[in-house]
Amino acid sequence: SSAVLCNSMSLIEWNISKRYLKELEDKGVPIIPTLWADELHEPHFAAAFAKFNCDEIVIKPYVSANADGTYRLTPAAVSKQLPSIMQEYKQRSAMIQPFLTSILEQGEYSLFYFNSQYSHAICKQPAKGDFRVQEEHGGQLTSIQPSNAMFALAEQTIDALPEEALYARVDIVSLNAELMIIEVE
């Protein structure tokens, strides 16, 4: 089987692991505060609640699609689900982030770029009772006009990519009224 790549293979490989977010952060792009666990261990959970000073965290694998392996957890849920989570992450690296209520309240904003030029934007909102914005999980998509702050962050992110992308989607969320990157695809 074959595939036609519109972006270079090196850019696609760079983008496969969410570890690329750390590289963007090192270049000054604001990302959601993240605890990186190349190997997940039980103390990581308590460390995350303490570091982020929050009541809920999200854990997700470095490499995934459609929110597979993604959990939204309270301290009580961690205790209850710990054996199954540790089993699932036995051979996987994990990123732990504070859960952002803004995703439930406002959604996640996606700005689309072709040849580094802005094309259009959408807001992705989760289905009632869920936190995942993907359509596979009932998420709703709406066309939006981005704010100047969203444009500025998206442009900063596009400029920080390791090479020019023919196609890029920049996903933005709000934390305490501050815009940050949740993902770039």
Side-chain angles (χ1 to χ4, degrees):
S1 71
S2 66
V4 176
L5 300 180
C6 295
N7 285 323
S8 75
M9 189 63 184
S10 60
L11 188 61
I12 290 168
E13 287 171 344
W14 174 84
N15 192 234
I16 285 175
S17 168
K18 298 221 177 20
R19 193 83 198 179
Y20 71 81
L21 288 165
K22 179 85 186 91
E23 289 183 36
L24 291 176
E25 183 182 41
D26 292 343
K27 290 182 176 180
V29 175
I31 67 164
I32 297 176
T34 303
L35 193 151
W36 302 95
D38 293 333
E39 282 183 30
L40 185 64
H41 299 290
E42 190 175 337
H44 282 120
F45 295 99
F49 285 110
K51 178 179 178 166
F52 305 135
N53 189 22
C54 64
D55 301 326
E56 283 189 281
I57 55 171
V58 172
I59 177 172
K60 44 191 160 183
Y62 286 8
V63 179
S64 78
N66 305 328
D68 293 343
T70 298
Y71 294 87
R72 174 183 171 189
L73 302 161
T74 59
V78 169
S79 309
K80 200 159 62 179
Q81 297 180 52
L82 190 64
S84 62
I85 293 171
M86 293 309 290
Q87 182 59 40
E88 181 167 355
Y89 278 86
K90 202 151 99 181
Q91 304 295 326
R92 294 173 103 174
S93 301
M95 50 196 293
I96 307 173
Q97 299 172 323
F99 174 71
L100 304 184
T101 53
S102 66
I103 292 175
L104 302 180
E105 294 154 5
Q106 304 163 282
E108 185 178 301
Y109 307 101
S110 293
L111 282 67
F112 293 83
Y113 285 78
F114 295 97
N115 251 350
S116 301
Q117 297 300 307
Y118 170 75
S119 168
H120 62 286
I122 58 171
C123 178
K124 301 182 281 196
Q125 291 177 298
K128 199 164 175 57
D130 206 330
F131 68 99
R132 298 166 298 184
V133 298
Q134 292 80 3
E135 289 178 284
E136 295 87 341
H137 302 291
Q140 297 289 310
L141 309 180
T142 323
S143 185
I144 60 151
Q145 178 59 40
S147 67
N148 289 341
M150 284 181 207
F151 275 127
L153 177 54
E155 302 284 337
Q156 179 189 3
T157 304
I158 292 292
D159 290 344
L161 296 178
E163 58 186 85
E164 196 166 330
L166 181 63
Y167 159 83
R169 188 191 78 221
V170 180
D171 293 342
I172 298 173
V173 290
S174 177
L175 172 61
N176 303 326
E178 198 183 321
L179 295 178
M180 21 193 86
I181 298 297
I182 188 168
E183 191 172 4
V184 181
E185 197 162 291

